[in-house]
């Protein structure tokens, strides 16, 4: 069962890419056909949805969608502490 963050990222990516996406079947957003502008829009909407800031230097080290979701969950936890 997907986490709330996975569900939100899936919804956001689906809206931006204008198609249903299944994040469990791909390793990264580019496999979904996302270009760099799409990825930036996904990041900004995730930040807005969870009222967090995703740091550029941290994002550069993220390799795939699972890492991205884990990073968002980490930032949410840090905000709530």
């Amino acid at each position: 069962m997907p986490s709330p963050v996975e569900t939100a990222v899936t919804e956001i990516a689906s809206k931006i890419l204008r198609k249903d996406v299944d994040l469990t079947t791909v390793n990264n957003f580019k496999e979904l056909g996302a270009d760099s502008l799409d990825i930036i829009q996904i990041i900004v909407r995730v930040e807005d949805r969870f009222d967090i800031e995703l740091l550029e230097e941290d994002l550069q080290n993220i390799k795939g969608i699972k890492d991205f979701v884990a990073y968002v969950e980490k930032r949410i936890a840090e905000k709530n502490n």
Side-chain angles (χ1 to χ4, degrees), residues 38-76:
D38 295 327
I39 293 169
I40 290 169
Q41 289 178 340
I42 292 168
I43 290 168
V44 169
R45 289 197 189 171
V46 167
E47 288 177 323
D48 290 346
R49 169 84 60 97
F50 294 104
D51 191 29
I52 57 173
E53 181 180 359
L54 303 178
L55 305 175
E56 187 176 337
E57 58 270 14
D58 292 340
L59 290 170
Q60 291 175 0
N61 297 321
I62 292 177
K63 303 293 184 221
I65 292 172
K66 287 182 175 53
D67 293 337
F68 179 73
V69 168
Y71 175 62
V72 171
E73 290 170 342
K74 176 184 167 212
R75 296 295 291 164
I76 292 168

Side-chain angles (χ1 to χ4, degrees), residues 14-31:
S14 293
K15 285 179 185 174
I16 290 171
L17 299 174
R18 295 185 181 99
K19 63 181 176 181
D20 289 334
V21 299
D22 181 358
L23 299 182
T24 63
T25 63
V26 295
N27 293 318
N28 59 57
F29 292 113
K30 290 190 187 246
E31 288 180 20

